[in-house]
Amino acid sequence: AWILVQKYCNHLPLYRQQSIFARDGLELPRQTLCDWVMACAYYLGPIQEALKRELLASGVLQLDDTPIECQAGKGKSNFKAHLWTYTSPLSRGVVFDFALDWSHEHVAAFLGNQIEGYLVGDGYAGYGPLVEKYPALIEAGCWAHVLRKFRDALKEAPVEASRMMRRIAKLFDVEREAVEQKLEPAAVRALRAEKSQPALTAIENEAKALRALATSDQGPLAKALTYLENQWPTLTRFLEDGRVPIHNNSCENAIRPVAVGRKNWLFAGSERGGRAAATIYSLIESCRRVDVDPFLYLRDVLARVCTHPSSRVHELVPAVWKDHFAADAAR
């Protein structure tokens, strides 16, 4: 458990841990450390699957991905693999899924037969074929991405970009109001109809006016307008259902530890290593979401998982484990 936390939470590669152990008089071969990590990931796999089932059953799925270098084997060049990240505003878990490339088929494989509900993302072109193939799947866009693109245009067009950013900020103000009032989804939908719909109309009118004034289609402002226009149908989808978030920040926040970690461990040692990392990251990030100490959690579940009834494996996901076993694990 300690080794897993050091590697996947504190970003300390195994070779550095090996050196630390050696300085303390404990000789642990690197292969032994690797074998322990792989074995732990194998036994923790059913908990990751339980988290996945919970996310898919929620009806609102947020996803994003981040690239990681992966070793292809002796004498072969490293290649760029991807860790897909899945969250939901209706679940306290996070699931990472390792994929050898950026193809949308990996997302389809993750979804399996549960191809219905909302899919919240950043405009990745691969979502289009998924929505066409599965009519019950509804793509929703991310206003945080729109905001960033207009922020990038501030240097070129400070007045126009800042004016648009202020209009977009009103959408976030409505969401903040809904959170502060602790509104249920039906009430959130009503609030959005009252306040977000007029804000969207103002944004749309502003975008048309700016497009009419644009002298180039290559600058940051023009690119921000193009992104807004292309994504408009998905960006207004949050009006349909109060459960659907207006941005994908929750998913992107889950990716940040991976981005920090890969600067230290640099690459996954193999496809099997990438899948192991996905499993362990899923549990550690899910612990972070519910304020659970990942070391206490892993120390407990690694001893518990092999004898815990498979029909009750959901009790071992971090959010539920916190209620059932955390007090005993902390003693």
Side-chain angles (χ1 to χ4, degrees):
W2 182 256
I3 290 167
L4 296 181
V5 169
Q6 293 304 307
K7 179 172 172 61
Y8 296 102
C9 188
N10 298 333
H11 321 301
L12 199 61
L14 294 182
Y15 77 89
R16 292 185 188 171
Q17 294 193 53
Q18 181 187 27
S19 298
I20 293 170
F21 285 128
R23 286 202 303 269
D24 292 335
L26 180 60
E27 296 294 337
L28 284 175
R30 185 98 54 87
Q31 188 59 52
T32 298
L33 297 178
C34 290
D35 290 345
W36 287 352
V37 170
M38 293 296 185
C40 288
Y42 172 79
Y43 288 114
L44 295 171
I47 307 176
Q48 181 193 28
E49 285 296 315
L51 279 168
K52 175 181 173 179
R53 289 192 294 271
E54 178 184 306
L55 288 177
L56 292 178
S58 71
V60 181
L61 195 64
Q62 298 174 257
L63 72 162
D64 203 350
D65 76 289
T66 189
I68 60 170
E69 289 289 318
C70 186
Q71 287 186 321
K74 190 174 182 180
K76 298 180 180 179
S77 300
N78 291 359
F79 65 93
K80 186 175 291 186
H82 287 261
L83 274 179
W84 287 92
T85 311
Y86 298 85
T87 65
S88 171
L90 308 174
S91 169
R92 294 180 289 172
V94 180
V95 174
F96 289 86
D97 187 46
F98 178 81
L100 294 175
D101 54 43
W102 202 33
S103 169
H104 70 273
E105 280 84 4
H106 296 294
V107 179
F110 182 90
L111 296 174
N113 295 324
Q114 197 102 4
I115 312 288
E116 61 180 345
Y118 289 90
L119 197 65
V120 184
D122 59 0
Y124 163 57
Y127 301 151
L130 286 174
V131 174
E132 290 179 7
K133 186 175 181 180
Y134 306 106
L137 199 62
I138 305 168
E139 184 182 358
C142 173
W143 277 100
H145 274 77
V146 181
L147 196 60
R148 284 177 216 151
K149 290 187 180 298
F150 280 99
R151 187 179 294 121
D152 291 341
L154 280 172
K155 186 175 181 180
E156 176 199 46
V159 175
E160 295 84 353
S162 60
R163 188 166 62 236
M164 181 63 88
M165 289 174 66
R166 285 195 297 272
R167 295 194 184 280
I168 296 172
K170 292 181 180 180
L171 297 176
F172 289 82
D173 291 339
V174 176
E175 299 305 303
R176 192 176 300 110
E177 181 179 344
V179 171
E180 290 172 352
Q181 296 183 21
K182 300 180 180 179
L183 300 181
E184 294 296 322
V188 173
R189 182 182 179 185
L191 181 67
R192 288 171 173 175
E194 177 190 354
K195 297 186 176 181
S196 298
Q197 181 65 75
L200 286 170
T201 301
I203 291 169
E204 187 175 25
N205 291 337
E206 183 77 29
K208 290 177 180 177
L210 289 176
R211 179 61 80 184
L213 295 173
T215 58
S216 168
D217 59 355
Q218 297 299 319
L221 181 61
K223 290 179 180 179
L225 289 169
T226 299
Y227 182 87
L228 177 63
E229 293 161 2
N230 291 342
Q231 293 298 311
W232 188 257
T234 69
L235 289 168
T236 59
R237 199 128 301 145
F238 72 96
L239 294 173
E240 302 173 0
D241 193 319
R243 302 173 303 160
V244 179
I246 70 168
H247 56 72
N248 203 29
N249 289 351
S250 173
C251 201
E252 294 185 6
N253 289 340
I255 287 178
R256 286 178 182 174
V258 179
V260 174
R262 69 185 172 209
K263 293 179 181 179
N264 292 280
W265 43 257
L266 301 180
F267 53 77
S270 64
E271 177 181 350
R272 184 167 167 246
R275 298 194 187 283
T279 297
I280 299 165
Y281 269 128
S282 297
L283 301 185
I284 285 179
E285 287 308 305
S286 295
C287 283
R288 195 190 303 271
R289 296 252 161 153
V290 294
D291 196 26
V292 163
D293 183 328
F295 172 69
L296 293 180
Y297 170 77
L298 289 170
R299 185 181 66 177
D300 182 74
V301 296
L302 284 170
R304 189 183 299 276
V305 69
C306 293
T307 57
H308 196 79
S310 59
S311 60
R312 290 164 41 203
V313 68
H314 188 69
E315 295 176 352
L316 300 184
V317 304
V320 184
W321 176 91
K322 183 178 181 179
D323 297 331
H324 286 75
F325 307 112
D328 291 337
R331 290 174 184 168

